[in-house]
Every structure is written in C-alpha cells, then in structure tokens.
Amino acid sequence: MIYDKLSNIARYKGLHPNLDIALDYIGAHLSEMGERVELKGEEVYGNCFTYDTVPEEQAFFEAHARFADVQIMRAGAERVAVSNISVLQTDSAQPEKDFWSMHGPEEVSLVLQPGSFLIVLPGDAHKLKMQLGSPATVTKSVFKVDMGA
C-alpha cells in the first residue's frame, strides 16, 4: 500500500514497468481523463466513476492477485480501509476475474480526498466507498495495473 499526495506520485516510479505507464499518465494527463482510458490494453487502463458513499457495514474488502489499483479521488471524500489478505477470511473468489471478496479486521484506515492517491498492490485487500459521517457523492479515477506481467 502506498498513500501520498498526488503531487508526489512520480516518486513511486520504478516499482514495475506497467505501474510507470499509469503514473506517467496520471502525472501529465489526469485532468484530461474521460470515463475510460486504455494505456496498454487490458494490462494498464483507467476508469472514472461517480457514486454515493455507504455506511461501513455495507462495504467489504476486495483483493486482487495480479492487479494493483491506483485510486485517485477527483471530488468528494471517502474512508478506505486496507489490510493484508493474511488477516482476512475469503467470502467469495473469482480468480478468473482476479477478484476476491473478504472480511475481517482493518489494519489501516485513511481518508481519500482530492489531492491524494492510494496504490493498493496485489495482496492488499481494500474496503472502499465508506462514508464520512453521512452519504456523499464522490468522483474517483481508478487505474488497474497488471503487476504479473
């Protein structure tokens, strides 16, 4: 897990070539991003979502084995929890979609808001969309990065 200010995103280049592609785009073109951008086919792409945050009891951990997520809040704020998969229990698994639904203790809690970003690597389970006080509408860009390639 990496959590930092968007202005520092270039510091994290060099971890993986596919991650570098996403970080370069974010650093230079994020403000121009539409609903979807494909940077390297299905290996590196981004989507922009607008949704309403939910109470904590409606959120769940998700995890990936191959893909990292780069999460960037564009408008609004949400609480996010991150835990290593080793402390969680699996509720459902869809390995063909690189998706596991899990539950268990939160190891780290943070607020994702404009100007910050979160990178969750394979093995970092993340619980998203949690409201801060009351439901709010947020807009977020999420880049999917294949770290297995």
Side-chain angles (χ1 to χ4, degrees):
M1 175 194 89
I2 298 168
Y3 174 66
D4 202 346
K5 299 288 182 201
L6 200 50
S7 58
N8 296 328
I9 201 160
R11 290 182 183 175
Y12 302 98
K13 289 182 61 177
L15 295 175
H16 191 278
N18 282 349
L19 184 59
D20 288 353
I21 292 168
L23 299 182
D24 285 340
Y25 177 86
I26 292 164
H29 303 289
L30 183 64
S31 63
E32 305 160 16
M33 183 181 177
E35 286 185 24
R36 182 173 172 90
V37 61
E38 291 189 20
L39 302 174
K40 188 179 175 187
E42 290 299 308
E43 288 185 42
V44 184
Y45 61 93
N47 292 304
C48 192
F49 304 98
T50 298
Y51 56 85
D52 291 330
T53 58
V54 299
E56 179 179 350
E57 54 274 5
Q58 292 180 23
F60 62 91
F61 281 104
E62 67 179 63
H64 314 292
R66 287 186 60 99
F67 280 84
D69 288 357
V70 182
Q71 310 241 344
I72 303 163
M73 190 60 67
R74 308 292 297 276
E78 71 181 20
R79 190 170 80 79
V80 176
V82 181
S83 292
N84 185 281
I85 59 171
S86 66
V87 303
L88 302 174
Q89 294 179 326
T90 300
D91 296 319
S92 66
Q94 299 174 31
E96 70 284 357
K97 294 183 179 181
D98 195 40
F99 185 87
W100 283 259
S101 172
M102 308 181 92
H103 73 276
E106 296 180 7
E107 293 186 303
V108 175
S109 179
L110 57 93
V111 174
L112 192 59
Q113 57 194 353
S116 64
F117 72 94
L118 172 67
I119 300 174
V120 286
L121 299 166
D124 292 335
H126 40 292
K127 188 190 301 187
L128 307 166
K129 302 180 181 179
M130 291 185 285
Q131 67 189 35
L132 297 167
S134 60
T137 301
V138 301
T139 299
K140 181 166 59 173
S141 292
V142 177
F143 289 82
K144 302 293 285 183
V145 178
D146 189 338
M147 301 290 279

